[in-house]
């Protein structure tokens, strides 16, 4: 029965995106983990980390907004505003950071662009790759693929900071 429970735990951790720190890494106090996550703002990352407001049920929130060109079937080919949020709650008892990811897409219409009717929203752990790109003409006159958005550009610095502090990164469905 113990092996079955252990394999279920490993499966759940993989599906939720849970990562554990390397053995031998000393755990920092919660205030230093919070300070390290807030310090990511000055390092040239494409997102912003802030202290959460009262109604967000989190300690910290990382946000990233970007407007993607209308190359997809969503929003009938109109540009799309994509915002990604990672709500983080620090649990000092277990030395864990519980993370709830939220993604919102809104189709833009008109000139100047404004929010339209087409919308998508999801929440939960993001363990898959979300990547958007377009093709642009390069200096040599040939088409080159240009990555516009890669969710790993937000998730990886946050997760690596938490793991480097000796804490566990745990994806959750509800905070």
């Amino acid at each position: 029965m113990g092996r079955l429970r252990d394999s279920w735990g490993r499966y759940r951790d993989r599906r939720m995106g849970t990562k554990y720190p390397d053995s031998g890494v000393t755990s920092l106090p919660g205030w230093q983990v919070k300070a390290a996550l807030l310090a990511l703002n000055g390092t040239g990352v494409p997102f912003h980390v802030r202290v959460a407001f009262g109604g967000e049920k989190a300690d910290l929130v990382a946000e990233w907004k970007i407007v993607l060109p209308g190359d997809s079937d969503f929003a009938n080919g109109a540009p799309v505003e994509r915002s990604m949020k990672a709500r983080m709650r620090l649990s000092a008892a277990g030395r864990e950071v519980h993370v709830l990811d939220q993604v919102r897409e809104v189709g833009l219409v008109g000139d100047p662009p404004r929010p339209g009717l087409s919308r998508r929203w999801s929440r939960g752990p993001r363990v898959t790759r979300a990547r958007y790109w377009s093709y642009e003409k390069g200096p040599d006159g040939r088409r080159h693929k240009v990555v516009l958005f890669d969710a790993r550009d937000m998730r990886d610095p946050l997760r690596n900071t938490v793991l480097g502090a000796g804490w566990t990164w745990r994806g959750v469905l509800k905070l």
Side-chain angles (χ1 to χ4, degrees):
M1 186 69 177
R3 284 183 57 170
L4 181 62
R5 184 173 292 136
D6 289 344
S7 64
W8 170 250
R10 286 191 302 266
Y11 172 76
R12 185 182 67 231
D13 283 351
R14 189 172 58 244
R15 295 286 298 162
M16 300 298 275
T18 301
K19 299 286 183 189
Y20 297 96
D22 292 333
S23 60
V25 177
T26 57
S27 297
L28 299 177
W31 66 271
Q32 285 184 336
V33 175
K34 192 173 187 178
L37 287 167
L38 288 169
L40 287 173
N41 287 332
T43 60
V45 293
F47 57 89
H48 178 72
V49 181
R50 63 174 171 80
V51 176
F53 301 124
E56 289 182 307
K57 298 180 182 177
D59 295 322
L60 296 171
V61 176
E63 294 181 292
W64 186 8
K65 289 186 180 181
I66 186 169
V67 176
L68 301 170
D71 296 338
S72 66
D73 295 334
F74 180 65
N76 296 327
V80 175
E81 180 184 79
R82 182 179 177 98
S83 64
M84 226 177 124
K85 262 188 196 182
R87 293 176 24 207
M88 297 172 277
R89 179 178 287 165
L90 282 67
S91 172
R95 301 277 187 200
E96 296 180 342
V97 175
H98 297 173
V99 182
L100 176 66
D101 292 322
Q102 296 176 320
V103 177
R104 185 180 67 115
E105 291 181 347
V106 178
L108 302 176
V109 296
D111 189 23
R114 62 187 184 282
L117 296 176
S118 54
R119 299 170 189 266
R120 286 186 194 165
W121 186 82
S122 67
R123 82 174 199 192
R126 289 276 181 247
V127 293
T128 59
R129 293 182 182 166
R131 196 172 189 191
Y132 295 95
W133 61 84
S134 83
Y135 291 96
E136 294 180 2
K137 194 173 195 177
D140 59 353
R142 301 176 76 192
R143 286 178 36 160
H144 295 276
K145 185 189 287 189
V146 177
V147 176
L148 302 172
F149 176 85
D150 192 345
R152 292 176 294 179
D153 292 342
M154 181 170 149
R155 184 175 45 242
D156 290 352
L158 294 170
R159 186 180 59 220
N160 293 341
T161 301
V162 168
L163 295 175
W167 285 46
T168 300
W169 175 269
R170 185 174 302 280
V172 296
L173 295 173
K174 182 177 167 185
L175 282 180

